[in-house]
mmCIF file with all atom_site columns, all heavy atoms in Angstrom:
data_model
loop_
_atom_site.group_PDB
_atom_site.id
_atom_site.type_symbol
_atom_site.label_atom_id
_atom_site.label_alt_id
_atom_site.label_comp_id
_atom_site.label_asym_id
_atom_site.label_entity_id
_atom_site.label_seq_id
_atom_site.pdbx_PDB_ins_code
_atom_site.Cartn_x
_atom_site.Cartn_y
_atom_site.Cartn_z
_atom_site.occupancy
_atom_site.B_iso_or_equiv
_atom_site.pdbx_formal_charge
_atom_site.auth_seq_id
_atom_site.auth_comp_id
_atom_site.auth_asym_id
_atom_site.auth_atom_id
_atom_site.pdbx_PDB_model_num
ATOM 1   N N   . PRO A 1 66 ? 89.141 129.319 82.205  1.00 96.00 ? 391 PRO A N   1
ATOM 2   C CA  . PRO A 1 66 ? 88.456 129.957 83.346  1.00 96.00 ? 391 PRO A CA  1
ATOM 3   C C   . PRO A 1 66 ? 89.313 131.077 83.947  1.00 96.00 ? 391 PRO A C   1
ATOM 4   O O   . PRO A 1 66 ? 90.537 131.034 83.874  1.00 96.00 ? 391 PRO A O   1
ATOM 5   C CB  . PRO A 1 66 ? 88.336 128.803 84.346  1.00 96.00 ? 391 PRO A CB  1
ATOM 6   C CG  . PRO A 1 66 ? 89.461 127.873 84.020  1.00 96.00 ? 391 PRO A CG  1
ATOM 7   C CD  . PRO A 1 66 ? 89.773 128.035 82.557  1.00 96.00 ? 391 PRO A CD  1
ATOM 8   N N   . PRO A 1 67 ? 88.679 132.075 84.541  1.00 94.00 ? 392 PRO A N   1
ATOM 9   C CA  . PRO A 1 67 ? 89.455 133.099 85.247  1.00 94.00 ? 392 PRO A CA  1
ATOM 10  C C   . PRO A 1 67 ? 90.055 132.540 86.545  1.00 94.00 ? 392 PRO A C   1
ATOM 11  O O   . PRO A 1 67 ? 89.380 131.790 87.251  1.00 94.00 ? 392 PRO A O   1
ATOM 12  C CB  . PRO A 1 67 ? 88.419 134.188 85.555  1.00 94.00 ? 392 PRO A CB  1
ATOM 13  C CG  . PRO A 1 67 ? 87.091 133.503 85.505  1.00 94.00 ? 392 PRO A CG  1
ATOM 14  C CD  . PRO A 1 67 ? 87.237 132.314 84.600  1.00 94.00 ? 392 PRO A CD  1
ATOM 15  N N   . THR A 1 68 ? 91.298 132.907 86.834  1.00 97.00 ? 393 THR A N   1
ATOM 16  C CA  . THR A 1 68 ? 91.958 132.408 88.054  1.00 97.00 ? 393 THR A CA  1
ATOM 17  C C   . THR A 1 68 ? 91.192 132.820 89.305  1.00 97.00 ? 393 THR A C   1
ATOM 18  O O   . THR A 1 68 ? 91.120 132.058 90.272  1.00 97.00 ? 393 THR A O   1
ATOM 19  C CB  . THR A 1 68 ? 93.401 132.978 88.128  1.00 97.00 ? 393 THR A CB  1
ATOM 20  O OG1 . THR A 1 68 ? 94.084 132.587 86.937  1.00 97.00 ? 393 THR A OG1 1
ATOM 21  C CG2 . THR A 1 68 ? 94.144 132.444 89.338  1.00 97.00 ? 393 THR A CG2 1
ATOM 22  N N   . ILE A 1 69 ? 90.617 134.008 89.271  1.00 97.00 ? 394 ILE A N   1
ATOM 23  C CA  . ILE A 1 69 ? 89.939 134.489 90.494  1.00 97.00 ? 394 ILE A CA  1
ATOM 24  C C   . ILE A 1 69 ? 88.518 133.934 90.625  1.00 97.00 ? 394 ILE A C   1
ATOM 25  O O   . ILE A 1 69 ? 87.831 134.228 91.594  1.00 97.00 ? 394 ILE A O   1
ATOM 26  C CB  . ILE A 1 69 ? 89.897 136.029 90.562  1.00 97.00 ? 394 ILE A CB  1
ATOM 27  C CG1 . ILE A 1 69 ? 89.117 136.606 89.372  1.00 97.00 ? 394 ILE A CG1 1
ATOM 28  C CG2 . ILE A 1 69 ? 91.300 136.616 90.640  1.00 97.00 ? 394 ILE A CG2 1
ATOM 29  C CD1 . ILE A 1 69 ? 88.772 138.079 89.555  1.00 97.00 ? 394 ILE A CD1 1
ATOM 30  N N   . GLY A 1 70 ? 88.078 133.119 89.659  1.00 97.00 ? 395 GLY A N   1
ATOM 31  C CA  . GLY A 1 70 ? 86.745 132.525 89.733  1.00 97.00 ? 395 GLY A CA  1
ATOM 32  C C   . GLY A 1 70 ? 85.679 133.474 89.218  1.00 97.00 ? 395 GLY A C   1
ATOM 33  O O   . GLY A 1 70 ? 85.905 134.675 89.094  1.00 97.00 ? 395 GLY A O   1
ATOM 34  N N   . THR A 1 71 ? 84.509 132.910 88.906  1.00 97.00 ? 396 THR A N   1
ATOM 35  C CA  . THR A 1 71 ? 83.413 133.749 88.419  1.00 97.00 ? 396 THR A CA  1
ATOM 36  C C   . THR A 1 71 ? 82.829 134.546 89.593  1.00 97.00 ? 396 THR A C   1
ATOM 37  O O   . THR A 1 71 ? 82.948 134.120 90.758  1.00 97.00 ? 396 THR A O   1
ATOM 38  C CB  . THR A 1 71 ? 82.278 132.884 87.840  1.00 97.00 ? 396 THR A CB  1
ATOM 39  O OG1 . THR A 1 71 ? 81.798 132.027 88.888  1.00 97.00 ? 396 THR A OG1 1
ATOM 40  C CG2 . THR A 1 71 ? 82.768 132.033 86.681  1.00 97.00 ? 396 THR A CG2 1
ATOM 41  N N   . PRO A 1 72 ? 82.172 135.665 89.291  1.00 97.00 ? 397 PRO A N   1
ATOM 42  C CA  . PRO A 1 72 ? 81.513 136.409 90.377  1.00 97.00 ? 397 PRO A CA  1
ATOM 43  C C   . PRO A 1 72 ? 80.531 135.528 91.161  1.00 97.00 ? 397 PRO A C   1
ATOM 44  O O   . PRO A 1 72 ? 80.443 135.626 92.387  1.00 97.00 ? 397 PRO A O   1
ATOM 45  C CB  . PRO A 1 72 ? 80.783 137.541 89.634  1.00 97.00 ? 397 PRO A CB  1
ATOM 46  C CG  . PRO A 1 72 ? 81.594 137.748 88.387  1.00 97.00 ? 397 PRO A CG  1
ATOM 47  C CD  . PRO A 1 72 ? 82.114 136.384 88.011  1.00 97.00 ? 397 PRO A CD  1
ATOM 48  N N   . ALA A 1 73 ? 79.818 134.637 90.448  1.00 97.00 ? 398 ALA A N   1
ATOM 49  C CA  . ALA A 1 73 ? 78.834 133.791 91.148  1.00 97.00 ? 398 ALA A CA  1
ATOM 50  C C   . ALA A 1 73 ? 79.518 132.856 92.143  1.00 97.00 ? 398 ALA A C   1
ATOM 51  O O   . ALA A 1 73 ? 79.000 132.604 93.243  1.00 97.00 ? 398 ALA A O   1
ATOM 52  C CB  . ALA A 1 73 ? 78.040 132.982 90.122  1.00 97.00 ? 398 ALA A CB  1
ATOM 53  N N   . LEU A 1 74 ? 80.687 132.345 91.766  1.00 98.00 ? 399 LEU A N   1
ATOM 54  C CA  . LEU A 1 74 ? 81.413 131.451 92.679  1.00 98.00 ? 399 LEU A CA  1
ATOM 55  C C   . LEU A 1 74 ? 81.872 132.224 93.920  1.00 98.00 ? 399 LEU A C   1
ATOM 56  O O   . LEU A 1 74 ? 81.735 131.750 95.051  1.00 98.00 ? 399 LEU A O   1
ATOM 57  C CB  . LEU A 1 74 ? 82.623 130.848 91.947  1.00 98.00 ? 399 LEU A CB  1
ATOM 58  C CG  . LEU A 1 74 ? 83.486 129.895 92.762  1.00 98.00 ? 399 LEU A CG  1
ATOM 59  C CD1 . LEU A 1 74 ? 82.697 128.648 93.179  1.00 98.00 ? 399 LEU A CD1 1
ATOM 60  C CD2 . LEU A 1 74 ? 84.739 129.474 91.982  1.00 98.00 ? 399 LEU A CD2 1
ATOM 61  N N   . ARG A 1 75 ? 82.395 133.419 93.680  1.00 98.00 ? 400 ARG A N   1
ATOM 62  C CA  . ARG A 1 75 ? 82.887 134.216 94.813  1.00 98.00 ? 400 ARG A CA  1
ATOM 63  C C   . ARG A 1 75 ? 81.732 134.614 95.736  1.00 98.00 ? 400 ARG A C   1
ATOM 64  O O   . ARG A 1 75 ? 81.893 134.639 96.957  1.00 98.00 ? 400 ARG A O   1
ATOM 65  C CB  . ARG A 1 75 ? 83.644 135.432 94.274  1.00 98.00 ? 400 ARG A CB  1
ATOM 66  C CG  . ARG A 1 75 ? 84.881 134.997 93.476  1.00 98.00 ? 400 ARG A CG  1
ATOM 67  C CD  . ARG A 1 75 ? 85.359 136.076 92.537  1.00 98.00 ? 400 ARG A CD  1
ATOM 68  N NE  . ARG A 1 75 ? 85.956 137.179 93.245  1.00 98.00 ? 400 ARG A NE  1
ATOM 69  C CZ  . ARG A 1 75 ? 87.254 137.281 93.529  1.00 98.00 ? 400 ARG A CZ  1
ATOM 70  N NH1 . ARG A 1 75 ? 88.091 136.349 93.130  1.00 98.00 ? 400 ARG A NH1 1
ATOM 71  N NH2 . ARG A 1 75 ? 87.713 138.313 94.183  1.00 98.00 ? 400 ARG A NH2 1
ATOM 72  N N   . GLU A 1 76 ? 80.569 134.872 95.136  1.00 98.00 ? 401 GLU A N   1
ATOM 73  C CA  . GLU A 1 76 ? 79.374 135.164 95.953  1.00 98.00 ? 401 GLU A CA  1
ATOM 74  C C   . GLU A 1 76 ? 78.998 133.935 96.786  1.00 98.00 ? 401 GLU A C   1
ATOM 75  O O   . GLU A 1 76 ? 78.570 134.065 97.936  1.00 98.00 ? 401 GLU A O   1
ATOM 76  C CB  . GLU A 1 76 ? 78.176 135.530 95.056  1.00 98.00 ? 401 GLU A CB  1
ATOM 77  C CG  . GLU A 1 76 ? 78.291 136.833 94.315  1.00 98.00 ? 401 GLU A CG  1
ATOM 78  C CD  . GLU A 1 76 ? 78.016 138.058 95.190  1.00 98.00 ? 401 GLU A CD  1
ATOM 79  O OE1 . GLU A 1 76 ? 77.562 137.880 96.341  1.00 98.00 ? 401 GLU A OE1 1
ATOM 80  O OE2 . GLU A 1 76 ? 78.288 139.177 94.706  1.00 98.00 ? 401 GLU A OE2 1
ATOM 81  N N   . ALA A 1 77 ? 79.142 132.751 96.196  1.00 98.00 ? 402 ALA A N   1
ATOM 82  C CA  . ALA A 1 77 ? 78.788 131.517 96.927  1.00 98.00 ? 402 ALA A CA  1
ATOM 83  C C   . ALA A 1 77 ? 79.715 131.331 98.135  1.00 98.00 ? 402 ALA A C   1
ATOM 84  O O   . ALA A 1 77 ? 79.265 130.938 99.223  1.00 98.00 ? 402 ALA A O   1
ATOM 85  C CB  . ALA A 1 77 ? 78.872 130.306 95.997  1.00 98.00 ? 402 ALA A CB  1
ATOM 86  N N   . PHE A 1 78 ? 81.016 131.628 97.970  1.00 98.00 ? 403 PHE A N   1
ATOM 87  C CA  . PHE A 1 78 ? 81.950 131.535 99.111  1.00 98.00 ? 403 PHE A CA  1
ATOM 88  C C   . PHE A 1 78 ? 81.520 132.506 100.211 1.00 98.00 ? 403 PHE A C   1
ATOM 89  O O   . PHE A 1 78 ? 81.439 132.134 101.387 1.00 98.00 ? 403 PHE A O   1
ATOM 90  C CB  . PHE A 1 78 ? 83.382 131.914 98.703  1.00 98.00 ? 403 PHE A CB  1
ATOM 91  C CG  . PHE A 1 78 ? 84.005 131.063 97.631  1.00 98.00 ? 403 PHE A CG  1
ATOM 92  C CD1 . PHE A 1 78 ? 85.012 131.580 96.817  1.00 98.00 ? 403 PHE A CD1 1
ATOM 93  C CD2 . PHE A 1 78 ? 83.619 129.736 97.448  1.00 98.00 ? 403 PHE A CD2 1
ATOM 94  C CE1 . PHE A 1 78 ? 85.610 130.816 95.835  1.00 98.00 ? 403 PHE A CE1 1
ATOM 95  C CE2 . PHE A 1 78 ? 84.219 128.959 96.463  1.00 98.00 ? 403 PHE A CE2 1
ATOM 96  C CZ  . PHE A 1 78 ? 85.213 129.502 95.652  1.00 98.00 ? 403 PHE A CZ  1
ATOM 97  N N   . ALA A 1 79 ? 81.273 133.755 99.790  1.00 98.00 ? 404 ALA A N   1
ATOM 98  C CA  . ALA A 1 79 ? 80.921 134.789 100.777 1.00 98.00 ? 404 ALA A CA  1
ATOM 99  C C   . ALA A 1 79 ? 79.608 134.436 101.480 1.00 98.00 ? 404 ALA A C   1
ATOM 100 O O   . ALA A 1 79 ? 79.465 134.638 102.692 1.00 98.00 ? 404 ALA A O   1
ATOM 101 C CB  . ALA A 1 79 ? 80.824 136.157 100.096 1.00 98.00 ? 404 ALA A CB  1
ATOM 102 N N   . GLY A 1 80 ? 78.665 133.877 100.706 1.00 98.00 ? 405 GLY A N   1
ATOM 103 C CA  . GLY A 1 80 ? 77.378 133.491 101.293 1.00 98.00 ? 405 GLY A CA  1
ATOM 104 C C   . GLY A 1 80 ? 77.566 132.415 102.349 1.00 98.00 ? 405 GLY A C   1
ATOM 105 O O   . GLY A 1 80 ? 76.953 132.463 103.424 1.00 98.00 ? 405 GLY A O   1
ATOM 106 N N   . TRP A 1 81 ? 78.413 131.443 102.059 1.00 98.00 ? 406 TRP A N   1
ATOM 107 C CA  . TRP A 1 81 ? 78.659 130.379 103.032 1.00 98.00 ? 406 TRP A CA  1
ATOM 108 C C   . TRP A 1 81 ? 79.340 130.934 104.294 1.00 98.00 ? 406 TRP A C   1
ATOM 109 O O   . TRP A 1 81 ? 78.966 130.574 105.422 1.00 98.00 ? 406 TRP A O   1
ATOM 110 C CB  . TRP A 1 81 ? 79.520 129.270 102.415 1.00 98.00 ? 406 TRP A CB  1
ATOM 111 C CG  . TRP A 1 81 ? 79.726 128.136 103.372 1.00 98.00 ? 406 TRP A CG  1
ATOM 112 C CD1 . TRP A 1 81 ? 78.822 127.160 103.701 1.00 98.00 ? 406 TRP A CD1 1
ATOM 113 C CD2 . TRP A 1 81 ? 80.899 127.883 104.152 1.00 98.00 ? 406 TRP A CD2 1
ATOM 114 N NE1 . TRP A 1 81 ? 79.374 126.306 104.642 1.00 98.00 ? 406 TRP A NE1 1
ATOM 115 C CE2 . TRP A 1 81 ? 80.638 126.723 104.937 1.00 98.00 ? 406 TRP A CE2 1
ATOM 116 C CE3 . TRP A 1 81 ? 82.143 128.510 104.265 1.00 98.00 ? 406 TRP A CE3 1
ATOM 117 C CZ2 . TRP A 1 81 ? 81.581 126.196 105.817 1.00 98.00 ? 406 TRP A CZ2 1
ATOM 118 C CZ3 . TRP A 1 81 ? 83.080 127.982 105.150 1.00 98.00 ? 406 TRP A CZ3 1
ATOM 119 C CH2 . TRP A 1 81 ? 82.799 126.833 105.913 1.00 98.00 ? 406 TRP A CH2 1
ATOM 120 N N   . LEU A 1 82 ? 80.304 131.809 104.102 1.00 98.00 ? 407 LEU A N   1
ATOM 121 C CA  . LEU A 1 82 ? 80.990 132.398 105.267 1.00 98.00 ? 407 LEU A CA  1
ATOM 122 C C   . LEU A 1 82 ? 80.003 133.179 106.141 1.00 98.00 ? 407 LEU A C   1
ATOM 123 O O   . LEU A 1 82 ? 80.093 133.170 107.363 1.00 98.00 ? 407 LEU A O   1
ATOM 124 C CB  . LEU A 1 82 ? 82.128 133.318 104.806 1.00 98.00 ? 407 LEU A CB  1
ATOM 125 C CG  . LEU A 1 82 ? 83.348 132.606 104.202 1.00 98.00 ? 407 LEU A CG  1
ATOM 126 C CD1 . LEU A 1 82 ? 84.265 133.612 103.517 1.00 98.00 ? 407 LEU A CD1 1
ATOM 127 C CD2 . LEU A 1 82 ? 84.118 131.841 105.277 1.00 98.00 ? 407 LEU A CD2 1
ATOM 128 N N   . GLN A 1 83 ? 79.046 133.823 105.477 1.00 98.00 ? 408 GLN A N   1
ATOM 129 C CA  . GLN A 1 83 ? 78.012 134.576 106.206 1.00 98.00 ? 408 GLN A CA  1
ATOM 130 C C   . GLN A 1 83 ? 77.136 133.619 107.026 1.00 98.00 ? 408 GLN A C   1
ATOM 131 O O   . GLN A 1 83 ? 76.919 133.816 108.214 1.00 98.00 ? 408 GLN A O   1
ATOM 132 C CB  . GLN A 1 83 ? 77.165 135.358 105.193 1.00 98.00 ? 408 GLN A CB  1
ATOM 133 C CG  . GLN A 1 83 ? 75.927 136.014 105.774 1.00 98.00 ? 408 GLN A CG  1
ATOM 134 C CD  . GLN A 1 83 ? 76.276 137.240 106.602 1.00 98.00 ? 408 GLN A CD  1
ATOM 135 O OE1 . GLN A 1 83 ? 76.903 138.157 106.103 1.00 98.00 ? 408 GLN A OE1 1
ATOM 136 N NE2 . GLN A 1 83 ? 75.875 137.239 107.870 1.00 98.00 ? 408 GLN A NE2 1
ATOM 137 N N   . ARG A 1 84 ? 76.691 132.533 106.373 1.00 98.00 ? 409 ARG A N   1
ATOM 138 C CA  . ARG A 1 84 ? 75.784 131.613 107.074 1.00 98.00 ? 409 ARG A CA  1
ATOM 139 C C   . ARG A 1 84 ? 76.514 130.825 108.161 1.00 98.00 ? 409 ARG A C   1
ATOM 140 O O   . ARG A 1 84 ? 75.999 130.614 109.249 1.00 98.00 ? 409 ARG A O   1
ATOM 141 C CB  . ARG A 1 84 ? 75.140 130.638 106.061 1.00 98.00 ? 409 ARG A CB  1
ATOM 142 C CG  . ARG A 1 84 ? 74.163 131.304 105.103 1.00 98.00 ? 409 ARG A CG  1
ATOM 143 C CD  . ARG A 1 84 ? 73.405 130.287 104.273 1.00 98.00 ? 409 ARG A CD  1
ATOM 144 N NE  . ARG A 1 84 ? 74.270 129.479 103.416 1.00 98.00 ? 409 ARG A NE  1
ATOM 145 C CZ  . ARG A 1 84 ? 74.782 129.902 102.244 1.00 98.00 ? 409 ARG A CZ  1
ATOM 146 N NH1 . ARG A 1 84 ? 74.500 131.107 101.792 1.00 98.00 ? 409 ARG A NH1 1
ATOM 147 N NH2 . ARG A 1 84 ? 75.568 129.114 101.527 1.00 98.00 ? 409 ARG A NH2 1
ATOM 148 N N   . ARG A 1 85 ? 77.738 130.408 107.872 1.00 98.00 ? 410 ARG A N   1
ATOM 149 C CA  . ARG A 1 85 ? 78.466 129.536 108.805 1.00 98.00 ? 410 ARG A CA  1
ATOM 150 C C   . ARG A 1 85 ? 79.060 130.312 109.982 1.00 98.00 ? 410 ARG A C   1
ATOM 151 O O   . ARG A 1 85 ? 79.067 129.832 111.116 1.00 98.00 ? 410 ARG A O   1
ATOM 152 C CB  . ARG A 1 85 ? 79.567 128.789 108.030 1.00 98.00 ? 410 ARG A CB  1
ATOM 153 C CG  . ARG A 1 85 ? 80.569 128.006 108.860 1.00 98.00 ? 410 ARG A CG  1
ATOM 154 C CD  . ARG A 1 85 ? 79.947 126.821 109.580 1.00 98.00 ? 410 ARG A CD  1
ATOM 155 N NE  . ARG A 1 85 ? 80.975 125.946 110.138 1.00 98.00 ? 410 ARG A NE  1
ATOM 156 C CZ  . ARG A 1 85 ? 81.588 126.180 111.295 1.00 98.00 ? 410 ARG A CZ  1
ATOM 157 N NH1 . ARG A 1 85 ? 81.266 127.226 112.031 1.00 98.00 ? 410 ARG A NH1 1
ATOM 158 N NH2 . ARG A 1 85 ? 82.532 125.341 111.723 1.00 98.00 ? 410 ARG A NH2 1
ATOM 159 N N   . TYR A 1 86 ? 79.616 131.506 109.686 1.00 98.00 ? 411 TYR A N   1
ATOM 160 C CA  . TYR A 1 86 ? 80.349 132.228 110.737 1.00 98.00 ? 411 TYR A CA  1
ATOM 161 C C   . TYR A 1 86 ? 79.768 133.610 111.053 1.00 98.00 ? 411 TYR A C   1
ATOM 162 O O   . TYR A 1 86 ? 80.299 134.310 111.919 1.00 98.00 ? 411 TYR A O   1
ATOM 163 C CB  . TYR A 1 86 ? 81.814 132.427 110.313 1.00 98.00 ? 411 TYR A CB  1
ATOM 164 C CG  . TYR A 1 86 ? 82.581 131.144 110.135 1.00 98.00 ? 411 TYR A CG  1
ATOM 165 C CD1 . TYR A 1 86 ? 83.052 130.747 108.876 1.00 98.00 ? 411 TYR A CD1 1
ATOM 166 C CD2 . TYR A 1 86 ? 82.876 130.319 111.224 1.00 98.00 ? 411 TYR A CD2 1
ATOM 167 C CE1 . TYR A 1 86 ? 83.774 129.569 108.710 1.00 98.00 ? 411 TYR A CE1 1
ATOM 168 C CE2 . TYR A 1 86 ? 83.595 129.145 111.061 1.00 98.00 ? 411 TYR A CE2 1
ATOM 169 C CZ  . TYR A 1 86 ? 84.034 128.778 109.806 1.00 98.00 ? 411 TYR A CZ  1
ATOM 170 O OH  . TYR A 1 86 ? 84.751 127.617 109.657 1.00 98.00 ? 411 TYR A OH  1
ATOM 171 N N   . GLY A 1 87 ? 78.730 134.013 110.300 1.00 98.00 ? 412 GLY A N   1
ATOM 172 C CA  . GLY A 1 87 ? 78.184 135.354 110.517 1.00 98.00 ? 412 GLY A CA  1
ATOM 173 C C   . GLY A 1 87 ? 79.123 136.450 110.054 1.00 98.00 ? 412 GLY A C   1
ATOM 174 O O   . GLY A 1 87 ? 79.097 137.567 110.575 1.00 98.00 ? 412 GLY A O   1
ATOM 175 N N   . LEU A 1 88 ? 79.961 136.155 109.053 1.00 98.00 ? 413 LEU A N   1
ATOM 176 C CA  . LEU A 1 88 ? 80.956 137.132 108.585 1.00 98.00 ? 413 LEU A CA  1
ATOM 177 C C   . LEU A 1 88 ? 80.512 137.744 107.258 1.00 98.00 ? 413 LEU A C   1
ATOM 178 O O   . LEU A 1 88 ? 79.941 137.052 106.417 1.00 98.00 ? 413 LEU A O   1
ATOM 179 C CB  . LEU A 1 88 ? 82.309 136.444 108.363 1.00 98.00 ? 413 LEU A CB  1
ATOM 180 C CG  . LEU A 1 88 ? 82.944 135.793 109.593 1.00 98.00 ? 413 LEU A CG  1
ATOM 181 C CD1 . LEU A 1 88 ? 84.141 134.952 109.167 1.00 98.00 ? 413 LEU A CD1 1
ATOM 182 C CD2 . LEU A 1 88 ? 83.375 136.865 110.592 1.00 98.00 ? 413 LEU A CD2 1
ATOM 183 N N   . ALA A 1 89 ? 80.813 139.026 107.077 1.00 97.00 ? 414 ALA A N   1
ATOM 184 C CA  . ALA A 1 89 ? 80.483 139.684 105.799 1.00 97.00 ? 414 ALA A CA  1
ATOM 185 C C   . ALA A 1 89 ? 81.780 140.017 105.073 1.00 97.00 ? 414 ALA A C   1
ATOM 186 O O   . ALA A 1 89 ? 82.382 141.055 105.317 1.00 97.00 ? 414 ALA A O   1
ATOM 187 C CB  . ALA A 1 89 ? 79.676 140.950 106.068 1.00 97.00 ? 414 ALA A CB  1
ATOM 188 N N   . LEU A 1 90 ? 82.215 139.111 104.202 1.00 98.00 ? 415 LEU A N   1
ATOM 189 C CA  . LEU A 1 90 ? 83.433 139.371 103.432 1.00 98.00 ? 415 LEU A CA  1
ATOM 190 C C   . LEU A 1 90 ? 83.085 139.941 102.072 1.00 98.00 ? 415 LEU A C   1
ATOM 191 O O   . LEU A 1 90 ? 82.015 139.642 101.524 1.00 98.00 ? 415 LEU A O   1
ATOM 192 C CB  . LEU A 1 90 ? 84.258 138.090 103.276 1.00 98.00 ? 415 LEU A CB  1
ATOM 193 C CG  . LEU A 1 90 ? 85.233 137.846 104.447 1.00 98.00 ? 415 LEU A CG  1
ATOM 194 C CD1 . LEU A 1 90 ? 84.495 137.258 105.623 1.00 98.00 ? 415 LEU A CD1 1
ATOM 195 C CD2 . LEU A 1 90 ? 86.398 136.962 104.021 1.00 98.00 ? 415 LEU A CD2 1
ATOM 196 N N   . ASP A 1 91 ? 83.996 140.716 101.530 1.00 98.00 ? 416 ASP A N   1
ATOM 197 C CA  . ASP A 1 91 ? 83.801 141.304 100.203 1.00 98.00 ? 416 ASP A CA  1
ATOM 198 C C   . ASP A 1 91 ? 84.167 140.252 99.148  1.00 98.00 ? 416 ASP A C   1
ATOM 199 O O   . ASP A 1 91 ? 85.338 139.861 99.040  1.00 98.00 ? 416 ASP A O   1
ATOM 200 C CB  . ASP A 1 91 ? 84.700 142.544 100.081 1.00 98.00 ? 416 ASP A CB  1
ATOM 201 C CG  . ASP A 1 91 ? 84.547 143.223 98.718  1.00 98.00 ? 416 ASP A CG  1
ATOM 202 O OD1 . ASP A 1 91 ? 83.919 142.623 97.812  1.00 98.00 ? 416 ASP A OD1 1
ATOM 203 O OD2 . ASP A 1 91 ? 85.069 144.336 98.563  1.00 98.00 ? 416 ASP A OD2 1
ATOM 204 N N   . PRO A 1 92 ? 83.167 139.787 98.380  1.00 98.00 ? 417 PRO A N   1
ATOM 205 C CA  . PRO A 1 92 ? 83.470 138.716 97.414  1.00 98.00 ? 417 PRO A CA  1
ATOM 206 C C   . PRO A 1 92 ? 84.476 139.149 96.355  1.00 98.00 ? 417 PRO A C   1
ATOM 207 O O   . PRO A 1 92 ? 85.130 138.301 95.740  1.00 98.00 ? 417 PRO A O   1
ATOM 208 C CB  . PRO A 1 92 ? 82.120 138.411 96.771  1.00 98.00 ? 417 PRO A CB  1
ATOM 209 C CG  . PRO A 1 92 ? 81.106 139.256 97.419  1.00 98.00 ? 417 PRO A CG  1
ATOM 210 C CD  . PRO A 1 92 ? 81.758 140.207 98.356  1.00 98.00 ? 417 PRO A CD  1
ATOM 211 N N   . SER A 1 93 ? 84.626 140.434 96.131  1.00 98.00 ? 418 SER A N   1
ATOM 212 C CA  . SER A 1 93 ? 85.539 140.840 95.049  1.00 98.00 ? 418 SER A CA  1
ATOM 213 C C   . SER A 1 93 ? 86.994 140.904 95.511  1.00 98.00 ? 418 SER A C   1
ATOM 214 O O   . SER A 1 93 ? 87.909 140.873 94.680  1.00 98.00 ? 418 SER A O   1
ATOM 215 C CB  . SER A 1 93 ? 85.105 142.177 94.445  1.00 98.00 ? 418 SER A CB  1
ATOM 216 O OG  . SER A 1 93 ? 85.134 143.174 95.431  1.00 98.00 ? 418 SER A OG  1
#
Side-chain angles (χ1 to χ4, degrees):
T393 303
I394 61 167
T396 60
L399 180 64
R400 297 159 71 91
E401 292 282 351
F403 300 154
W406 183 77
L407 289 168
Q408 171 74 57
R409 291 189 298 281
R410 171 67 168 82
Y411 297 114
L413 299 170
L415 273 80
D416 180 349
S418 61

